[in-house]
Amino acid sequence: MKRIFLLAALVLLLQPLRADEGMWLPVLISQRIGDMQAKGFKLSAEDIYSVNQASLKDAVVLFGGGCTGEVVSDEGLLLTNHHCGYGYIQRHSSVEHDYLKDGFWAMDRKSELPNRGLTVSFLERMEDVTAEALKGYDKSMTESMRDSVVRANSARLIQNAVKEGKGLRASVEALYYGNQYFLFVYKIYRDVRLVGAPPSSIGKFGGDTDNWMWPRHTGDFSIFRIYAGKDNEPADYSEDNVPFRPRKSFKISRKGAQPGDFTFVYGCPGSTKEYVVSDDVRYVAEVSDPQKIDLRTQRLDIMKKYMAQDQAVRIQYSSKAAGVSNAWKKWQGEAKGIQKMNTVASKQAFEAKFRQWAKGTEYDGLVDKLSALYEKRNPYYHAYEIYSESIRPIELLQFAGNVRAALSAKRPIDGTVESFFKDYYQPIDEEICAAMLKAFDASMEDGFKPAYFKEKMAQYGSAEAWQKDLFSKSLFTDKAKVLALTPDDIDKVTSDPAYELSDAFNEWYIETLRPVISETGEQIRLLNRDYMRAQMEFEPNKAFYPDANLTLRVAYGHVQGYKPSDAVEYAPVSTLKGIIEKDNPDIFDYNIPQVLRDIYAEGGHENQPVCFLATNHTSGGNSGSPVINSDGNLIGINFDRVWEGTMSDIVFDPDVCRNISIDIRYLLFVVDKIGHAGYLFNEMNFAD
């Protein structure tokens, strides 16, 4: 194994990857720095990542549990995407104070809003611990024994790491499917306050229609501030806390992004699987994505119908609908991109060559074993995905399960109940329930349907009748009745029709689907470890980067447009003129603030840059990532990919895979002209 990774490291030094593909570990960026500098980068590897001195890594955070953010002042001012802060903005919103619609700007420190549960995590260090993780393992051990060794060794590594300081969290992550292990140590700050957010007509301009599309004109940013104790260490929220003093903050370049400029994205991409077999890709493109798209379309149509009729409902369901629609549209582009690139056929051709090479080696028959496992797994996994996208999203069922769990553990339920009913509109849930019961019946193969489901459908005769009876009888639709529950009322909870439905499906999943999914999934995971190692031996001249797993990575490229189809060519920069062209007061997602119309009418701002494209390899989790120029200065905030390139989680096409970022100059424009919060510039660090 050491031989393989020494070879891989040598390959990284000698062979540039095609185009701008790749998500590179910062601790190993010295192996790519030559290629980066050849493409225009002016800093050193030590400037990007260092444990001995302040480096750019010290200005990047994991925001919440799935986005990235960047520090832009010496007083803890933090930038991320509007959609990353959206749920927190929504929680502070009401009909009287609609911060989603109107935006929010704290004009002094006392007005900044705390956000319960929001954290930001700074990476302290990352370290290759493969030898330590596998200490005590030998090839005579079973895979179960190997996993036990890794878990025990990882626990010790984590325990030792978190002793190093206050507020630390550590994890040992498997890279290359468990051929390599890295320790990641984070410092987590727990007092993060909302400073500013544009109105949704800017922060979500274009809504679902423009999502994942180009040209894009979305001011997708929000501003927070990190607070700490007076010792600058992590602390729970307190009025006595003070703005955090970072080791490093980004300088902002007001020159912005120009076509051809070098760019790199420093962030936490969520999940990719670039090295899987064709069977996995075929399932995604031909079975999984189409099924999930259909079920989410039905749910979104119902939500949007009610949201369009009532402002309060729109506020309640804006974050929920956004969460449903984001992956929904991504899957559409992903399936189309996989098909357009003939990815399945390309992987099959690769596998044919691999089989020839593997004959007589320890990898002989490896691809065929994986194919057989997918054939066994896929019907069960498809059933699970139908269940996950139809029955599980019914809000009343989730609520019943959460209350049951809290009562069983003898925890207070007040917070759970208040949170649920604050953002719950029963007519939406009722209609979704009926639609999803009907969809489950139509989509699920008869042999997989739970006996409980068949009995109820036979009893009621239709999904609609079942839904009406369920909601009329369930106590979970009545806030007062739920608040009156005590741990002694467990029998009342478990006999409720909402909990009964939820529990019956959960039991079916545990008994029927999970055993096969878990068994085959574990076997696939183990064989993928061998397949990953084999691919690196089969293609010794290829540079391999580890799949994304929400850990800090560097991706570099340049500002560039693309040609998605015949006779269509996109420029890489959008402007304020495009916003005015799309402006439509009759459509919520395109109804911009009047002040923006007035500013444009005054003249002189039609060429104000808004968003730009680049060739950086990004994924979910990169939302909010800083986009940096050749001098290491901030020129934008990454927030999306183009629809035609969303298959980059599986296969990267240099011709169409583009990341979309808000130009930092538009962020400054909105803060100043729309938010009238230009005072924030006084603490920002500007490079030019």
Side-chain angles (χ1 to χ4, degrees), residues 86 287 360 370 397 410 426 450 456 469 525 536:
Y86 197 76
V287 180
L370 280 165
L397 308 190
K410 296 186 178 181
Q426 188 171 321
K456 288 294 183 181
D469 189 62
R525 181 183 70 84
M536 299 177 85

Side-chain angles (χ1 to χ4, degrees), residues 346-360:
S346 297
K347 281 189 171 285
Q348 287 173 336
F350 170 84
E351 288 158 9
K353 295 177 182 177
F354 177 86
R355 284 187 180 93
Q356 288 296 113
W357 171 84
K359 284 182 178 179

Side-chain angles (χ1 to χ4, degrees), residues 431-443:
E431 193 165 334
I432 285 178
C433 179
M436 291 299 98
L437 288 170
K438 189 174 181 179
F440 182 89
D441 193 32
S443 303

Side-chain angles (χ1 to χ4, degrees), residues 202 576-577 579-580 583 592-608 666 668-676:
I202 289 176
L576 185 57
K577 180 181 178 182
I579 293 178
I580 300 302
D583 178 30
I592 63 174
Q594 183 59 43
V595 63
L596 192 54
R597 299 186 186 105
D598 295 340
I599 291 170
Y600 187 82
E602 292 172 1
H605 295 288
E606 57 271 12
N607 294 321
Q608 166 67 49
Y666 186 53
L668 299 174
F669 173 87
V670 172
V671 169
D672 185 25
K673 304 294 185 182
I674 307 299
H676 305 294

Side-chain angles (χ1 to χ4, degrees), residues 18 122 171 199 349 414 438 443 446 466 562 572 660 672:
R18 63 172 186 157
F122 288 89
S171 65
D414 299 34
K438 189 174 181 179
S443 303
D446 194 65
W466 184 2
Y562 71 111
I660 307 175
D672 185 25

